[in-house]
Amino acid sequence: MKQQIKSKKVAPSSSSHSKPVLLEYTINGNIQPIKKEYELLVIACDPRNLYNICDYTAEERAIFDKLKNFTFHTSLLKVQINNPTTQQITYPGIFAPKVLGQMDGSIYAYRNESAKQFGSKVANEMAYNLVTVYQLQGEANPPLSSNEFEKILNQQLTNSDWWPFSTEYEVLKTFTTPYFDHFSNEDLFEEKLPWKILNLQGKNKTLYVHGFTCFESVLHCWDYAELVLNFVGSAEKPLLTEFDAPIVILGAGVSGLLFATRLKRLGYTNIEILESTDRYCGKTYTITEEEPYPGGSPENTVCELGTCYLSPAYDHLVEDLKEFFVDNAQINFAKGEPNFRGIVIEGEFEPPYVPNEAILSQQGYILLKAKALLNLDPNEPPKVVMSYIALALAKYSVLHWKIMGSQTPMPLHPPEELRDKTFYEFLDENGLLSLVGMIQYMYSVQGYGVITNIPAYYGLTWITPIVIQTILLDNFDPEEIPVVTGLEKGWGALWEQIVEQGKLNITYLAKTTSIKRLNP
């Protein structure tokens, strides 16, 4: 278990004798700029948003120019159950890997929030359910707009083969965001850009903590902040011995809130967060709906349009932040239902492995995918297939440790064994194709791309041994102990507690207009 960071000795700083960071911003469209001086600048937003605003060096700009991203769109729908007395929604959650592979904004997954909240049996008896629908677009300029995503949604739900609900629905909320900033294989290993960012930490009184630095997840943002503060020597230089010295964090998304929490635990008291929108928590978007209620129950439905899951990999984060998780317990998404998740098999199999069903349970899909990729007999008993999967899991765990090391959330040097490989190629070259069925879901469903295209480095960064063990247990453990979980009140409630308990000072609708760090 990692130790909770509360304080740290910092090297003496010459900040009181050096030039401050000069920053100007406006609030809520006001013309009159606000000018302030800070001793430390923390960039917790996409650094490209500060082009022509921040006096980036040529080295910084060259790194940021290489960033790529997807566009993620979710919709919360109130859908009509065609006939509550006869229609049974078999799979509350559906994932279509082949559709996601198109990366064109098509619907590739949905999650029935009513079934997650009340269980499938109750949800099937309701006249209406709440459903979150997922769409993803690959690297594109310009990206699809929210209206364009909704147009695709409306077109596809009218003729989908795997949409089990009525086409009578109401769009309650939508959420569109740039997603998963990342680098190409060439920029990872020829240019070594994530490690150049590590070397930039602390220079020009600037720290970078946004998801682009490592990987876009709550877990990686938390662990990367620890890496920067405790293991990167250059990052210590701007840390101040005067704990009331002014610090500014740009962005009140997940990375900004988490880094502010770490700084406060180190003793810093004068932290200001500037947020360009009217809300904190960035890519977390929790909606609590008061209806529909099942059978007169007054229980609300917690819907996640952004950050959603936890696994045992998050255990140390939950422990570190335990005071903010009070009354927001981890819950079993599937509520003990073995068929909570279904996988659309269209385009996934060739004879003799093509099943009769259009949708398989996740467990069935994992087993059939292993048979197909290992060229096993289609009638091979599940226990035999599981033995191949278990052996591959053990091998993956050893390889992961040898290649990625023990430093979290990323190795301190580029892992050359992954050079020029996609995640799928890494699995294939190491005899690990039996794991594809489970990895497809755990990696891709959350919007991180397709394993046949994404660099192997990102695959191994996200899919640690404990993550893949989680999927194995979640699908095949006879004790049905929940391992993939959500939060009872949603991720939004966690950030609310961090902001309120931590007394974080956030200025909303703050548009930064000028940042000068390189003062003569």
Side-chain angles (χ1 to χ4, degrees), residues 26 35 103 146 151 178 191 196 199 217 225 245 252 264 283 300 320 351 358 404 418 420 433 436 447 467 469 474 486:
T26 60
K35 301 180 181 181
M103 299 289 282
S146 181
K151 182 178 180 181
E191 301 297 327
K196 285 185 177 179
N199 291 331
S217 80
K264 287 180 74 70
K283 293 178 178 64
N300 294 337
D320 289 346
M404 301 295 282
L418 304 180
D420 299 329
L433 290 182
V436 165
V467 169
Q469 290 164 15
D474 201 44

Side-chain angles (χ1 to χ4, degrees), residues 9-249:
K9 294 180 181 179
V10 293
S13 170
S14 58
S15 61
S16 58
H17 305 291
S18 61
K19 299 291 185 180
V21 175
L22 305 177
L23 189 144
E24 296 183 12
Y25 63 95
T26 60
I27 300 177
N28 198 20
N30 291 335
I31 298 176
Q32 187 64 33
I34 298 171
K35 301 180 181 181
K36 290 189 177 181
E37 297 181 354
Y38 300 94
E39 293 297 336
L40 177 63
L41 169 67
V42 180
I43 295 181
C45 62
D46 188 324
R48 295 171 294 179
N49 293 344
L50 300 175
Y51 280 179
N52 303 318
I53 295 171
C54 184
D55 55 353
Y56 287 138
T57 64
E59 181 182 13
E60 289 171 320
R61 181 64 187 253
I63 293 173
F64 306 150
D65 281 346
K66 295 289 188 177
L67 282 170
K68 308 171 186 293
N69 65 269
F70 305 142
T71 305
F72 189 65
H73 181 85
T74 49
S75 305
L76 179 61
L77 308 184
K78 181 180 178 181
V79 300
Q80 183 176 348
I81 304 299
N82 284 323
N83 188 339
T85 60
T86 60
Q87 182 188 19
Q88 297 294 304
I89 308 303
T90 306
Y91 299 104
I94 290 288
F95 171 50
K98 186 62 68 174
V99 176
L100 176 63
Q102 300 169 8
M103 299 289 282
D104 62 358
S106 292
I107 297 170
Y108 74 88
Y110 72 77
R111 181 180 59 256
N112 188 330
E113 305 285 10
S114 298
K116 182 194 75 177
Q117 191 77 33
F118 306 110
S120 292
K121 184 178 184 301
V122 173
N124 279 325
E125 295 171 351
M126 298 167 63
Y128 294 91
N129 284 181
L130 297 175
V131 178
T132 298
V133 178
Y134 288 78
Q135 297 169 258
L136 188 71
Q137 181 190 28
E139 302 159 12
N141 189 16
L144 293 171
S145 67
S146 181
N147 287 337
E148 289 170 323
F149 273 111
E150 189 166 343
K151 182 178 180 181
I152 293 172
L153 180 143
N154 291 330
Q155 291 172 341
Q156 294 184 347
L157 289 189
T158 59
N159 56 18
S160 171
D161 294 332
W162 47 273
W163 177 251
F165 308 101
S166 166
T167 55
E168 297 295 324
Y169 59 85
E170 178 186 357
V171 179
L172 301 180
K173 300 282 184 181
T174 63
F175 182 49
T176 309
T177 181
Y179 194 68
F180 187 44
D181 291 349
H182 59 278
F183 297 109
S184 68
N185 251 325
E186 179 182 358
D187 293 328
L188 288 171
F189 291 98
E190 294 296 332
E191 301 297 327
K192 300 176 172 57
L193 296 188
W195 296 274
K196 285 185 177 179
I197 295 168
L198 274 180
N199 291 331
L200 282 175
Q201 297 289 5
K203 295 181 179 178
N204 302 316
K205 291 194 170 184
T206 305
L207 297 176
Y208 299 96
V209 300
H210 181 262
F212 84 92
T213 56
C214 176
F215 195 89
E216 190 161 308
S217 80
V218 173
L219 178 63
H220 287 79
C221 288
W222 180 246
D223 287 349
Y224 189 84
E226 181 181 18
L227 173 67
V228 167
L229 291 171
N230 290 322
F231 296 99
V232 181
S234 61
E236 293 184 4
K237 295 177 182 177
L239 292 180
L240 315 165
T241 52
E242 299 93 351
F243 289 102
D244 62 348
I247 299 171
V248 63
I249 298 177

Side-chain angles (χ1 to χ4, degrees), residues 425-445:
E425 289 170 340
F426 166 79
L427 297 172
D428 190 11
E429 290 178 12
N430 289 283
L432 302 173
L433 290 182
S434 62
L435 302 179
V436 165
M438 64 178 71
I439 284 178
Q440 271 183 312
Y441 183 90
M442 197 63 180
Y443 185 85
S444 296
V445 76

Side-chain angles (χ1 to χ4, degrees), residues 254-306:
V254 167
S255 60
L257 300 182
L258 291 178
F259 201 78
T261 300
R262 285 201 180 271
L263 288 176
K264 287 180 74 70
R265 288 181 174 179
L266 291 175
Y268 295 102
T269 59
N270 191 3
I271 304 167
E272 183 176 6
I273 304 175
L274 300 182
E275 168 56 42
S276 62
T277 72
D278 61 356
R279 58 183 286 271
Y280 56 79
C281 70
K283 293 178 178 64
T284 294
Y285 194 26
T286 301
I287 304 294
T288 301
E289 287 290 324
E290 295 182 351
E291 56 178 348
Y293 296 125
S297 167
E299 183 178 345
N300 294 337
T301 303
V302 176
C303 309
E304 300 283 23
L305 276 69

Side-chain angles (χ1 to χ4, degrees), residues 252-491:
V254 167
S255 60
L257 300 182
L258 291 178
F259 201 78
T261 300
R262 285 201 180 271
L263 288 176
K264 287 180 74 70
R265 288 181 174 179
L266 291 175
Y268 295 102
T269 59
N270 191 3
I271 304 167
E272 183 176 6
I273 304 175
L274 300 182
E275 168 56 42
S276 62
T277 72
D278 61 356
R279 58 183 286 271
Y280 56 79
C281 70
K283 293 178 178 64
T284 294
Y285 194 26
T286 301
I287 304 294
T288 301
E289 287 290 324
E290 295 182 351
E291 56 178 348
Y293 296 125
S297 167
E299 183 178 345
N300 294 337
T301 303
V302 176
C303 309
E304 300 283 23
L305 276 69
T307 315
C308 187
Y309 302 105
L310 297 91
S311 75
Y314 282 69
D315 284 354
H316 68 274
L317 179 146
V318 174
E319 175 65 21
D320 289 346
L321 300 173
K322 59 186 177 183
E323 69 266 36
F324 305 120
F325 281 94
V326 175
D327 298 326
N328 194 11
Q330 292 177 243
I331 59 171
N332 182 4
F333 257 37
K335 296 193 180 303
E337 299 178 26
N339 291 335
F340 188 86
R341 302 178 188 89
I343 310 296
V344 179
I345 58 91
E346 181 180 2
E348 289 293 319
F349 298 101
E350 299 290 340
Y353 301 101
V354 180
N356 294 324
E357 305 93 331
I359 302 174
L360 292 178
S361 68
Q362 187 178 23
Q363 180 186 97
Y365 179 82
I366 290 171
L367 292 172
L368 185 59
K369 197 70 173 176
K371 292 179 185 179
L373 292 175
L374 297 180
N375 294 313
L376 301 177
D377 188 314
N379 297 314
E380 196 75 65
K383 286 186 177 180
V384 175
V385 183
M386 282 301 303
S387 69
Y388 285 102
I389 293 174
L391 181 62
L393 173 58
K395 186 175 181 181
Y396 183 93
S397 299
V398 172
L399 284 171
H400 192 282
W401 184 85
K402 289 176 64 176
I403 293 170
M404 301 295 282
S406 59
Q407 177 62 61
T408 56
M410 60 180 284
L412 295 179
H413 305 282
E416 287 296 325
E417 298 91 334
L418 304 180
R419 178 184 286 269
D420 299 329
K421 292 183 177 67
T422 66
F423 196 14
Y424 187 92
E425 289 170 340
F426 166 79
L427 297 172
D428 190 11
E429 290 178 12
N430 289 283
L432 302 173
L433 290 182
S434 62
L435 302 179
V436 165
M438 64 178 71
I439 284 178
Q440 271 183 312
Y441 183 90
M442 197 63 180
Y443 185 85
S444 296
V445 76
Q446 298 180 74
Y448 297 136
V450 182
I451 66 173
T452 51
N453 296 328
I454 206 71
Y457 171 76
Y458 287 117
L460 272 76
T461 298
W462 178 236
I463 305 294
T464 59
I466 194 171
V467 169
I468 204 167
Q469 290 164 15
T470 293
I471 288 295
L472 194 64
L473 289 172
D474 201 44
N475 283 277
F476 299 101
D477 182 11
E479 296 183 13
E480 296 185 356
I481 298 173
V483 285
V484 176
T485 58
L487 293 176
E488 183 178 4
K489 294 182 179 179
W491 279 91

